[in-house]
Amino acid sequence: MSLERVKTKAVDIGGVVVGGCKPVVVQSMTNTDTADAIRTAIQVTELAQAGSELVRLTVNNQDSAAAIPEIIKRMQDMNCSVPLVGDFHYNGHKLLKENPDCARLLSKYRINPGNVGRGKKRDEQFDQMIEIAREHDKPVRIGVNWGSLDQQLLARMLDKNATLDQPEALSTITKKAVIASALESAARAESLGLAKNKIVLSCKMSGVQDLIEVYQSLAAQSDYALHLGLTEAGMGSKGIVASTAALAVLLQQGIGDTIRISLTPEPGGKRTQEVIVAQEILQTMGLRAFTPAVVACPGCGRTTSEYFQELAQDIQHYLRDKMPEWKQQYSGVENLSVAVMGCVVNGPGESKHANIGISLPGTGEKPVAPVYIDGEKDVTLKGENIASEFQSIIDQYIARTYA
């Protein structure tokens, strides 16, 4: 399936092309102290291994800016070359100027127009960052966030709104101000000599409908590459559902060139979850494939045993864990589909639709498990080793089909 994309300018970010109707790129962000080069490099590598194609780092002080060369060296030691994006607020102009290696080694700078400076210093400091980006031939994401919106711009638009016979609601003006901040900043960057194909825009909101409305308007008004993300999405299922609800609508309309899922990690949870969710949104919508997909039934009164649930979970984890190795050896293996079904009602049918499927016995059914390969029954498994035997069948199929 291929959805028609809204055409935007292609931006090369350290060898990863965003926009220009290229596949939607998955991005993530570290939550380590960037000044801790070892821990940060380890987390960047974990995110890259999980499938993040761009990784953003906080660069908020001299120590973090000075750590960028060491982070990249440590990444190289771990055979990781994912492009790094520096996230700058308040003092980015100073950090980039005083740390030329940081400016040179980062693949992209993220600038928030609302946090680049106040009053007359705002334009001056924004200009300095754009000039450094131009000097080093770096792309820039102009990332507006309604939680840190340029208050002078908002005040100006509110004053104008107040003169109207029928003033618009504050929420409406705020959304218009977010868009205006992005477009005006981009225009200023271009006037300073930064090429259009060096600019990515984002307008982050925390409300699903607000985000959809803003990006629809932004896409209609410009052809800059667009980064999507629901800011402050939240934790667990709430964050996943909210992000999916917002991004799926926009992606279905062809809007968006790169995405990030801004999940709050659960205590002890893995940062890589945001990468997996982003991949699953794109894969579920048929926009990209990252890892073999597992189809499994939800269970019912016919499937009182948890065996099929455990097998589905084990197979899903096994496929994802093996993907870093497989993608180096087997072209197209990410398109593999596997079905793990729990009874005879839909088991055989779903198994036939998948490349490889197993129909486990439900309550009261004969204790055998037929396996289907490309729509044809291949073998019937029984006994205590069904899980390991089914895993071996998958391995053999992959080696045979995708070598």
Side-chain angles (χ1 to χ4, degrees), residues 56-195:
R56 184 157 51 110
L57 311 170
T58 295
V59 186
N60 61 330
N61 52 39
Q62 288 290 344
D63 289 342
S64 61
I68 297 300
E70 180 66 14
I71 290 168
I72 292 177
K73 180 180 180 299
R74 299 280 183 173
M75 288 167 53
Q76 291 171 342
D77 291 342
M78 292 182 280
N79 198 32
C80 177
S81 58
V82 66
L84 297 182
V85 180
D87 191 59
F88 295 97
H89 298 268
Y90 310 112
N91 57 355
H93 62 292
K94 180 178 180 181
L95 295 176
L96 287 169
K97 181 179 180 180
E98 296 178 0
N99 296 273
D101 285 343
C102 170
R104 177 176 58 85
L105 291 170
L106 289 172
S107 294
K108 185 177 73 171
Y109 312 151
R110 187 277 178 123
I111 304 174
N112 182 342
N115 287 342
V116 78
R118 296 289 183 267
K120 293 182 179 179
K121 288 186 177 181
R122 179 199 176 280
D123 288 346
E124 177 185 337
Q125 292 171 183
F126 178 85
D127 293 356
Q128 289 177 29
M129 295 186 72
I130 296 300
E131 287 165 4
I132 293 171
R134 188 165 54 84
E135 175 188 346
H136 290 282
D137 196 30
K138 302 294 183 181
V140 168
R141 170 156 73 95
I142 295 174
V144 182
N145 191 307
W146 77 339
S148 51
L149 181 59
D150 181 351
Q151 293 302 300
Q152 289 180 314
L153 172 63
L154 179 60
R156 188 168 71 245
M157 293 182 68
L158 286 172
D159 287 344
K160 183 178 179 180
N161 182 60
T163 65
L164 300 177
D165 292 336
Q166 294 182 320
E168 296 180 299
L170 173 61
S171 61
T172 300
I173 299 302
T174 300
K175 285 179 277 193
K176 288 185 175 181
V178 167
I179 297 168
S181 178
L183 293 177
E184 289 179 11
S185 297
R188 186 175 185 89
E190 284 195 70
S191 74
L192 295 169
L194 191 67

Side-chain angles (χ1 to χ4, degrees), residues 331-342:
S331 176
V333 67
E334 65 275 7
N335 296 303
L336 175 72
S337 61
V338 179
V340 180
M341 303 299 293

Side-chain angles (χ1 to χ4, degrees), residues 157-378:
M157 293 182 68
L158 286 172
D159 287 344
K160 183 178 179 180
N161 182 60
T163 65
L164 300 177
D165 292 336
Q166 294 182 320
E168 296 180 299
L170 173 61
S171 61
T172 300
I173 299 302
T174 300
K175 285 179 277 193
K176 288 185 175 181
V178 167
I179 297 168
S181 178
L183 293 177
E184 289 179 11
S185 297
R188 186 175 185 89
E190 284 195 70
S191 74
L192 295 169
L194 191 67
K196 197 166 194 175
N197 66 354
K198 293 290 184 182
I199 298 173
V200 179
L201 297 186
S202 68
C203 290
K204 297 287 192 75
M205 318 287 283
S206 58
V208 170
Q209 297 298 339
D210 294 323
L211 190 84
I212 293 170
E213 182 181 343
V214 163
Y215 271 95
Q216 288 172 334
S217 180
L218 186 62
Q221 294 182 53
S222 74
D223 62 351
Y224 294 105
L226 299 179
H227 169 74
L228 300 186
L230 186 76
T231 192
E232 288 86 45
M235 181 181 287
S237 60
K238 185 271 178 186
I240 294 171
V241 171
S243 293
T244 303
L247 269 58
V249 171
L250 293 167
L251 291 167
Q252 184 70 20
Q253 296 172 357
I255 298 171
D257 301 296
T258 174
I259 66 172
R260 186 213 167 185
I261 308 301
S262 300
L263 295 180
T264 304
E266 296 181 0
K270 293 184 178 181
R271 190 65 167 180
T272 52
Q273 185 187 20
E274 66 178 55
V275 178
I276 294 170
V277 173
Q279 289 181 329
E280 289 181 347
I281 290 172
L282 295 174
Q283 184 153 342
T284 301
M285 294 186 68
L287 294 171
R288 290 187 66 182
F290 297 94
T291 190
V294 177
V295 174
C297 67
C300 66
R302 291 176 175 269
T303 57
T304 53
S305 168
E306 293 182 355
Y307 187 79
F308 88 94
Q309 298 168 345
E310 293 168 355
L311 180 59
Q313 183 182 57
D314 290 346
I315 292 298
Q316 188 158 292
H317 289 165
Y318 177 73
L319 296 174
R320 182 167 285 280
D321 290 344
K322 292 288 287 186
M323 268 307 294
E325 173 188 335
W326 283 344
K327 69 182 180 181
Q328 303 299 325
Q329 302 178 47
Y330 304 119
S331 176
V333 67
E334 65 275 7
N335 296 303
L336 175 72
S337 61
V338 179
V340 180
M341 303 299 293
C343 80
V344 74
V345 173
N346 291 319
E350 285 286 0
S351 296
K352 290 176 183 178
H353 288 310
N355 295 123
I356 306 173
I358 185 169
S359 180
L360 295 165
T363 305
E365 295 178 17
K366 190 175 180 180
V368 295
V371 174
Y372 297 82
I373 296 181
D374 291 331
E376 300 294 332
K377 185 176 177 181
D378 180 72

